[in-house]
Each structure stands twice: as structure tokens, then as C-alpha cells.
Amino acid sequence: MSKGFTTKETILKTAFELTSKFGLESLSIGELAKSVGMSKSGLFSHFKSKEKLQLMVMDYAAENFTLKVVKPALTKGRGIDRIEAMMENWVKWSGTYLPGGCPFLSAIVEFDDRPGAVRDHIKVLQGTMVETFARSVEIAKEESQIKSSASSEQLAYELYSNMIGFHIYNRLLKDKNAKVKFQNLYKSILEKVQV
Amino acid sequence: MSKGFTTKETILKTAFELTSKFGLESLSIGELAKSVGMSKSGLFSHFKSKEKLQLMVMDYAAENFTLKVVKPALTKGRGIDRIEAMMENWVKWSGTYLPGGCPFLSAIVEFDDRPGAVRDHIKVLQGTMVETFARSVEIAKEESQIKSSASSEQLAYELYSNMIGFHIYNRLLKDKNAKVKFQNLYKSILEKVQV
DNA sequence: AATATAATAGCACGACCGTTCGGTTTGGAT
DNA sequence: ATCCAAACCGAACGGTCGTGCTATTATATT
């Protein structure tokens, strides 16, 4: 019971890193086994199919995101501070913590045209992530820090778009001012609706 | 001379569509040959390597983007009208013209961690695309429609992020209001700096 | 119409893919 | 110390991948 759990965790951690670097699609069982240092079949027996592995990697990534981005922001008070903390945590996550690109983004673009369990799962995970943003905006509205007329769905969309934009500017274009642009945008997004 | 050119164009068109649906990475020569209706080796001889094929597909996509998004907007007058036309053309391109997702976006996330000719090429193409946006903002500044204090680089970033955000909301999350959110954002981005 | 050249097909190659199976090693409970 | 189940390995399977090679067919030029 214990041993199996430990190695499975090790596998998922390595798989998470490989996915960040090369995408969920290119994550091959043979290569993963080599990275972990065990046999292909030994690794495979932990997951009964590649699809199940992919699903678990996405869950691992989601937990990681919650742990590194969402949870630390909860120590901040309810309102705009918390939203800004989540934005800054995201920059750190995307820019320094991850060994490669955002595992969700690659999964999204790789699977949004392939119907199946993986696609459905990513959709759910990204949906809850967007809802988390929308909820934090709602809280800021309850605290009278954001105009009650503002749409939390719209704001969540704007914050989300900014995150993806930063990621591409930072990773592909290697824009040195990507972080500043990101901060400028989320601040002006919030200013616009601030009471 | 003529025949070769025609079939090569046919191949690239099909490859462009397959890339839109499944990504540049998953574009396999065998599958592409089957779609076009010719033999694997016959198709392969047109491109001396898979990498060259990928580069040409990206060029094809860039031409297509220019043709469908940038060029039609040039009929509009210099200034904000033209910027808004490009935004609307992009929605049409991304939402209705393409058979799948944005071929650039998939290429970006698939290759931003794989050094090589493909990565370098995408970087150049996306760079010029962003510069096109920045340039159209510059023009609007020359026409005194946008404050001269506004940073065209910053605005290009904001417009670009919005485009990617829309794409994900529309394709993965299947948000029915994605287009409205997109329009709201680019309008508020432009309003903010309008003279 | 003859000829040179481009375009395409067929076949084979080594490598890797996900998956299965039979056997071996290992760890924890009795 | 014994025993059983869990963990792991090695080898092999049918497929697909990109890429050569040789031969054949179609096209363009003279």
C-alpha cells in the first residue's frame, strides 16, 4: 500500500514536469519510465492505460496550481488584495516554478479538438479555475471594493486572458517586459471597476 | 514546374487544416498523404524533411492570416476603426473560418520548449504579428485618435492577450458569450487610451 | 514524336509507440 | 519464518513514425 503510493507520486511528479516541458501529448510512457528510472511495464501497471495517466497528470497539475497560486492568496484579506496576490502568484508559478510551459495551456490546445475523457476533464478543471477567479471578484464586490455593476464573469475572462498572454510573451517571445505588461493590464482591469 | 506547384499548394492547404485541428506536432506525413490522396513517399519528396514541411505550413498559415485578418482591415481608414476591424476579422477567422483551433497557438505551446528551426520561425512570425498590432496603434496615434502617452507595445500586448483568451473561451470552454466578452475587453482597452 | 525531367508509387529500414503477458523480486501481515 | 499479494522487470506484439532507395509514370521542352 505504501510503496505503491510513493512511486506513483514520484511518477506523477516527473510526468508533470515532462508535460510542462513537452506537452501532454508527447508524454510517452517509455520516456517517462526512463526519467523515473524504472521499466516501461512496471510503470504502466500503475495506470491501466495512457489515458488514465494523462487524467492523473492533469489532476496533479490542478492540485499544484491550487497549492502554489490559489491557497497562498487566501491568507490575504477578502477583496482586491487577494485577487492581486493570485495574479502575482501566477506569475511566479508560470515564470519560475514550472520547468517549462503551463501544462494546462498545452493540454487545452492539444485536446480541444479531440473528444474524449481527457478533453472533458481539462474542460472541467479550467472551468473551475475560471470560476475561482469569478468567485474572488464576487467576494471583492461583497466587500464593496468592486462596483456591484461589474460582471464577475467578464472580469474573470479578462484576468484569465492576461495570464495566457503573459505566458506566451514570456516563454515564446522572451519579452523582457512581459511581467510589467502583465501587471499594467491587471491593474488597469481592476482600476476600471474599483469603487 | 506547374504541376508540382499545384499539388504542393493542395498539400499545404490540407496540412494547414489538419494542423488547425490537431496541431503541428501531430501532423504526420502518412496521415497527410492519406488525406490528400497520394502516397507517403510521393508527398515526402515535395519537402525534403518533416521540419521543412512544418516551416512551410507555418508560412501558409501566416499568409492566410494576413489575407483574412490584416488585409481586409486596410480598407478601413487609419486609426481606431482599422484596429477594431482587425479584431473583428480575427474573431471571424478564429471562430468560423478555421476548421479547428488557431494553428499558431498550438505551434507556440508545442514548440516553445524545443529549440530548433521551427521554434525560431514561429517566434519570428508571431513577433511580426504583434508588431503589426503595435504599428496600427502607432498609426492611430499619428491620427490623434489615441493618446500619444499610451504605449503601443503595451496595447499590442493587451489586444493579443484578448485574442488568445477569446480563443480558449470559445473553443475549450464553449462559452456562448465569449465573443461578447472579447468585444467588451478590446473596446475598454481602446477607450482607456482614446483621446 | 522523342527525350529529358519532374512527379509519384512501392517497398523496406530502424526507431519508438501503447499494451500484454509470464515470470521474478520484494514488502508487510501473520 | 512463512506466505501472499503487490510491485516490478524483460521480452514481445502489432502499429505508426520519418526517411531513404529504386522503379515507374506523367509532364514539359525541343
Side-chain angles (χ1 to χ4, degrees), chain A residues 39-98:
Chain A
S39 75
K40 210 165 62 149
S41 53
L43 187 147
F44 184 83
S45 66
H46 281 276
F47 319 86
K48 294 184 300 182
S49 71
K50 179 169 188 191
E51 196 180 55
K52 292 232 175 74
L53 167 65
Q54 291 172 322
L55 294 176
M56 290 190 187
V57 171
M58 284 293 99
D59 282 334
Y60 184 94
E63 281 174 31
N64 195 271
F65 175 84
T66 304
L67 202 70
K68 300 280 179 184
V69 177
V70 179
K71 220 177 151 192
L74 296 182
T75 64
K76 302 274 173 180
R78 296 160 52 92
I80 289 187
D81 276 358
R82 182 177 292 175
I83 297 175
E84 290 190 338
M86 275 168 59
M87 290 295 113
E88 293 296 331
N89 290 342
W90 153 263
V91 171
K92 246 179 276 170
W93 193 64
S94 153
T96 67
Y97 180 79
L98 288 178

Side-chain angles (χ1 to χ4, degrees), chain B residues 120-160:
Chain B
D120 296 343
H121 202 59
I122 298 167
K123 186 177 172 182
V124 170
L125 291 177
Q126 284 294 286
T128 50
M129 177 177 156
V130 166
E131 274 167 29
T132 301
F133 287 133
R135 178 74 196 117
S136 69
V137 170
E138 283 293 331
I139 290 177
K141 282 162 80 171
E142 288 169 14
E143 298 293 318
S144 305
Q145 293 185 21
I146 284 183
K147 289 179 196 160
S148 58
S149 61
S151 158
S152 57
E153 259 199 64
Q154 176 74 30
L155 278 174
Y157 166 82
E158 300 185 356
L159 295 172
Y160 181 81

Side-chain angles (χ1 to χ4, degrees), chain A residues 94-146:
Chain A
S94 153
T96 67
Y97 180 79
L98 288 178
C102 173
F104 292 117
L105 183 56
S106 32
I108 286 169
V109 304
E110 281 172 356
F111 284 90
D112 66 355
D113 262 308
R114 309 186 201 220
V118 178
R119 205 215 106 102
D120 295 342
H121 202 59
I122 298 166
K123 186 176 172 183
V124 170
L125 290 177
Q126 285 294 286
T128 50
M129 177 178 156
V130 166
E131 275 168 29
T132 301
F133 287 132
R135 179 72 198 118
S136 69
V137 170
E138 283 292 331
I139 290 176
K141 282 163 78 172
E142 288 168 15
E143 298 293 317
S144 304
Q145 294 184 20
I146 284 183

